[in-house]
Amino acid sequence: MRNLDIALLRTLLQVADAASMTVASRRLHMTQGAVSQQVQRLEEMLGQVLLVRGKKGTRLTPQGERLLPQARQLVELNDAMLAAMGMPGVAGHVRLGVPHDLMGTHLPPVLQKFTQQFPAVEITLVAGSSAELKSAFDAGTVDLALTEEAAATASGEVLLLESPAWVGKIGGQAWQQRPLPVCLVSATCVFRPPLMAALAAANIAWRNPIDYPSLEATVAMVREDLAVTVLLPSTMPSRLTTLADDSGLPSLPPFSITLHAPKQGSSAASIALANAIRCAYK
């Protein structure tokens, strides 16, 4: 029997992890037909049926279950070695999902250092709310995702814990208005549910003074003292300030910045970028 191809093993791991040819094909940047062909080639090499398709998705056969641990070890050893050594062999395309507020604050220094070390890796950034990005990761339309999640229910790998802060213009008065004018980046902003609950508990009425959800519009409104917003302190833009406790605005529960990455079968490029992101938060 010929030596096993790492690419074929990687395909098997992705299909097993996603339990779906569709999701696996998106993560591997391949058509479903190409994924099926690679699995078939691996099965022919081993003389074993490894996957079966059913109404509820794709699952491993007993033979596939036996192969999986060894396949994972081989792929992870190969990719971890390439990623750790910064070898020229690390190449490919990685789709990284990032929330709007992290895009311009946390991410630039990570990407600058990473692209210097791995110039052959092409990165596509996908912006969105944390909820949208988590769904995109689950669907396989992004390879990695940074998200902001309530610390108590975080589903990803926790990189940093922060408590969201009320933010306003330096010397501004918008925080004194009632109903309180509050701008959020989007209707699916992760801070919206705890914000609404905290304001309701404090008996503070609020309103949204703008129907144009975007980070730029939110920051502009706050800088003009037309509203306040809620942000993680580490993402606060210039010319804004956190509002002191004596503002009377309620405290908010802690949030975590989390990383979502496939449990198995990631490419060397994805592993290298995930490691660079982890290092940036140490």
Side-chain angles (χ1 to χ4, degrees):
M1 184 180 70
R2 293 172 295 172
N3 291 333
L4 292 179
D5 189 323
I6 291 293
L8 301 184
L9 294 177
R10 191 188 314 284
T11 300
L12 176 68
L13 292 175
Q14 282 286 9
V15 176
D17 180 40
S20 164
M21 285 284 185
T22 301
V23 175
S25 66
R26 290 171 181 166
R27 290 181 177 172
L28 291 164
H29 308 279
M30 298 165 60
T31 65
Q32 289 189 53
V35 171
S36 296
Q37 289 176 3
Q38 290 216 345
V39 172
Q40 184 177 0
R41 283 181 56 200
L42 183 60
E43 290 177 330
E44 291 173 350
M45 291 174 65
L46 295 173
Q48 303 281 347
V49 176
L50 304 174
L51 292 170
V52 291
R53 291 187 181 185
K55 293 182 179 179
K56 296 184 178 180
T58 305
R59 62 178 178 83
L60 292 167
T61 64
Q63 293 84 357
E65 292 282 2
R66 286 198 296 271
L67 175 64
L68 198 65
Q70 289 82 5
R72 184 181 300 117
Q73 290 176 6
L74 285 172
V75 172
E76 289 180 351
L77 179 62
N78 173 81
D79 291 345
M81 179 184 68
L82 293 176
M85 299 302 296
M87 296 173 64
V90 178
H93 179 204
V94 183
R95 296 162 300 190
L96 173 62
V98 187
H100 299 279
D101 53 339
L102 300 186
M103 186 77 75
T105 53
H106 289 216
L107 204 59
V110 178
L111 295 183
Q112 182 181 24
K113 183 176 180 180
F114 180 83
T115 54
Q116 291 174 349
Q117 187 176 6
F118 300 101
V121 176
E122 178 185 343
I123 300 172
T124 297
L125 298 179
V126 179
S129 69
S130 291
E132 293 166 342
L133 296 174
K134 177 63 168 57
S135 296
F137 174 77
D138 291 340
T141 55
V142 296
D143 305 300
L144 303 171
L146 277 174
T147 62
E148 295 158 320
E149 303 179 53
T153 57
S155 60
E157 177 185 340
V158 176
L159 302 176
L160 179 68
L161 285 173
E162 274 194 284
S163 291
W166 291 98
V167 174
K169 178 182 178 180
I170 298 174
Q173 304 298 317
W175 60 272
Q176 297 180 359
Q177 298 179 29
R178 296 295 183 272
L180 180 70
V182 182
C183 281
L184 296 173
V185 175
S186 73
T188 56
C189 175
V190 291
F191 302 138
R192 186 183 182 93
L195 176 151
M196 292 176 63
L199 289 176
N203 199 28
I204 298 176
W206 71 284
R207 64 183 179 88
N208 181 2
I210 185 172
D211 189 21
Y212 182 74
S214 76
L215 180 60
E216 293 77 10
T218 296
V219 171
M221 290 288 287
V222 178
R223 281 180 175 159
E224 293 302 318
D225 200 27
L226 297 174
V228 297
T229 190
V230 169
L231 295 169
L232 296 179
S234 63
T235 67
M236 190 169 61
S238 62
R239 292 190 289 153
L240 299 181
T241 185
T242 56
L243 300 174
D245 293 340
D246 60 10
S247 67
L249 297 179
S251 60
L252 300 171
F255 269 67
S256 60
I257 295 176
T258 63
L259 173 66
H260 293 269
K263 296 179 181 178
Q264 54 192 30
S266 296
S267 67
S270 290
I271 289 176
L273 182 55
N275 286 340
I277 292 171
R278 292 184 182 103
C279 289
Y281 285 94
K282 287 182 178 179

